[in-house]
Amino acid sequence: MFNWTQNLADWLVYSALGISEKSHLGAALNFFIYDSIKILILLFVIIFLMGIVNSYFPVEKVRNFLSRNKLYGAEYLMASLFGVVTPFCSCSSVPLFIGFVKGGIPLGVTFAFLVTSPLVNEVAIGMFLGMFGVKITLIYVISGILLGMISGFILQKMKLEKHLTPWVKDVLVNAEREQNAFESEKTPLKDRLPFIWDEVKKILTGIIPYVLIGIAIGGLMHGYIPDGFFEKYMHRDNPFAVPMATLLAVPLYANAAGILPVVQVLVAKGIPIGTAIAFMMAVVGLSFPEAMLLKKVMTLKLILIFFGVVTMCIIFSGYLFNLIL
Amino acid sequence: MTIKILGTGCPNCKRTEQAVKTAIEELNIDATVIKVEDIMEIMQYNIMSTPAVVLDEVVKIKGRVPSVQEVKDLFQPEYKINL
């Protein structure tokens, strides 16, 4: 599907610019041009498609669905799935959290949503498709959903309600299951498109600099670092590689779009894919600013437990992927 | 007329505030803009995503950044302005 981009990059670098195919510069530049075009196209398509899906699943609808129906355990799956299709901004995490609590949704189910929503989003999916292909993307998406479900389930079993801040406890006491059905907007797709289009433009312009810088760094590494270079440091048999990669990723919250191209090169140069996925999940899923915002609704202890459980689950899935892939 | 902008201070909330202020300036109308950043106060409006624009205590826009034109359209019934 993207052969033409490769041809274009080959022609531009080797013929038009006359840089040798064997040179480091040639390899780096070729990688940069090929990857930039491919990733930007994929990001555009995925962000647009997800935008359409998003516009049919406003959070209020999700909340009311989870609040109204007794699902006998399936609510963790539903919350996680909704997390995938609902747009997430860390600045909305607090109102969202309160909204869920108000609707009488169990804390663990809310956590399932809060884990999956940032983890599996349109930018991550677009980048993964471009960088690693369909199979790895599916694995990433499915494990993101499972991760949310399992973390949510564990957190629910820990009975953490007592660690909420006092005013949230008051909300909890007055919580009631939503009885009235959600009045969905009957706006036709045609009228939604301008808004969706605006969102696409906003998201893309926001991430393009990071994507290009990331691909540029990836390109340099691709051209100048020999294949298999990292294998000796982050080898499959090194038991500390996965936790190290996960912990390393936590402070890198803001630049998921810029980090993936680098991770792709790391994988090409010998880092096992499970370690790389754990790293990515920690970058996207464990964000420091989100933790700061959540301080309004949770005690520090609860935030630490929440992040701790998610981190453990990420490390575990990293090991699992290294075993099975 | 009182316009409240609800948001915890994220970039989107600032863009919303900017859009509202531009609309007010361009229409040259008399309105008070209040930025509400306190989460407990925000939650009283029963919204689940920010930013939100509240016009005389009624939530008009939530969860996205409106365009300047959209904000002007909101003011329209209030002021019977020809836009």
Side-chain angles (χ1 to χ4, degrees):
Chain A
M1 192 176 140
F2 284 100
N3 283 342
W4 64 271
T5 4
Q6 187 61 64
N7 295 339
L8 179 74
D10 287 348
W11 174 81
L12 213 65
V13 176
Y14 305 139
S15 308
L17 293 173
I19 301 168
S20 159
E21 235 171 290
K22 302 242 166 13
S23 71
H24 288 317
L25 180 66
L29 208 58
N30 189 295
F31 177 93
F32 178 74
I33 294 170
Y34 169 68
D35 258 29
S36 304
I37 298 174
K38 184 175 76 172
I39 297 295
L40 290 181
I41 293 173
L42 278 169
L43 274 176
F44 175 78
V45 172
I46 300 291
I47 292 174
F48 190 67
L49 288 179
M50 286 289 270
I52 295 176
V53 178
N54 286 342
S55 79
Y56 288 93
F57 287 94
V59 273
E60 287 83 359
K61 198 174 183 175
V62 172
R63 194 260 311 259
N64 291 359
F65 179 87
L66 288 172
S67 174
R68 227 179 22 248
N69 300 302
K70 273 206 167 351
L71 297 161
Y72 306 103
E75 60 263 37
Y76 293 97
L77 174 66
M78 294 312 291
S80 255
L81 285 176
F82 282 134
V84 175
V85 295
T86 319
F88 182 81
C89 153
S90 60
C91 42
S92 275
S93 56
V94 169
L96 200 132
F97 186 87
I98 299 298
F100 273 43
V101 171
K102 254 187 182 168
I105 295 166
L107 214 49
V109 178
T110 308
F111 279 128
F113 183 89
L114 274 183
V115 172
T116 312
S117 194
L119 207 56
V120 187
N121 62 55
E122 61 276 9
V123 176
I125 293 176
M127 297 292 292
F128 255 91
L129 267 179
M131 295 286 159
F132 298 106
V134 178
K135 187 182 150 203
I136 301 284
T137 308
L138 276 178
I139 291 173
Y140 178 80
V141 171
I142 292 170
S143 48
I145 294 169
L146 284 175
L147 205 77
M149 288 171 64
I150 294 166
S151 314
F153 192 75
I154 295 173
L155 288 162
Q156 178 66 26
K157 287 281 165 254
M158 291 169 83
K159 303 218 185 309
L160 298 163
E161 283 79 0
K162 56 180 179 292
H163 298 301
L164 294 168
T165 48
W167 75 281
V168 183
K169 280 186 196 155
D170 288 345
V171 176
L172 194 67
V173 171
N174 298 319
E176 48 191 280
R177 297 240 157 198
E178 205 77 27
Q179 292 307 324
N180 52 323
F182 182 74
E183 296 161 45
S184 57
E185 288 176 70
K186 293 275 186 284
T187 326
L189 182 61
K190 184 167 64 71
D191 295 337
R192 292 169 191 250
L193 280 177
F195 292 122
I196 297 170
W197 183 245
D198 276 351
E199 269 308 301
V200 173
K201 275 192 293 188
K202 231 174 283 162
I203 297 174
L204 269 182
T205 43
I207 59 169
I208 276 177
Y210 296 110
V211 174
L212 291 183
I213 292 169
I215 298 176
I217 296 172
L220 287 175
M221 291 167 65
H222 181 82
Y224 290 92
I225 297 175
D227 287 350
F229 178 78
F230 289 105
E231 216 150 359
K232 49 179 180 264
Y233 304 110
M234 288 229 174
H235 193 263
R236 199 174 283 259
D237 299 330
N238 178 352
F240 299 112
V242 174
M244 285 251 304
T246 308
L247 295 179
L248 206 69
V250 179
L252 298 170
Y253 54 89
N255 298 317
I259 279 165
L260 249 182
V262 180
V263 172
Q264 181 204 16
V265 177
L266 295 181
V267 171
K269 304 289 184 193
I271 286 183
I273 186 79
T275 313
I277 290 185
F279 179 78
M280 267 322 294
M281 286 185 154
V283 169
V284 188
L286 301 170
S287 105
F288 187 66
E290 192 195 332
M292 287 290 94
L293 285 166
L294 287 175
K295 272 206 69 158
K296 293 254 171 57
V297 290
M298 304 176 191
T299 54
L300 187 64
K301 192 174 172 192
L302 179 51
I303 296 179
L304 290 177
I305 294 173
F306 171 44
F307 276 68
V309 169
V310 177
T311 308
M312 296 298 281
C313 288
I314 290 177
I315 292 174
F316 176 75
S317 54
Y319 281 126
L320 192 70
F321 289 136
N322 279 346
L323 270 178
I324 58 175
L325 287 176
Chain B
M1 181 168 61
T2 311
I3 302 143
K4 284 186 179 167
I5 293 146
L6 315 182
T8 43
C10 56
N12 280 344
C13 311
K14 286 179 190 125
R15 276 205 289 275
T16 306
E17 190 182 7
Q18 200 52 52
V20 170
K21 284 188 170 156
T22 313
I24 291 172
E25 247 166 58
E26 286 177 14
L27 294 175
N28 198 17
I29 53 176
D30 183 32
T32 326
V33 179
I34 303 171
K35 182 91 195 296
V36 181
E37 294 197 348
D38 179 54
I39 187 67
M40 287 160 82
E41 207 179 327
I42 292 175
M43 288 317 297
Q44 283 165 4
Y45 291 92
N46 221 355
I47 54 161
M48 284 181 63
S49 46
T50 55
V53 178
V54 180
L55 192 64
D56 289 331
E57 299 304 303
V58 181
V59 179
K60 294 289 187 186
I61 291 168
K62 58 187 170 187
R64 61 190 172 80
V65 182
S67 67
V68 174
Q69 187 56 49
E70 208 182 330
V71 180
K72 284 183 182 174
D73 292 345
L74 282 182
F75 297 161
Q76 166 76 23
E78 202 81 16
Y79 282 85
K80 313 273 183 293
I81 319 155
N82 289 320
L83 296 175

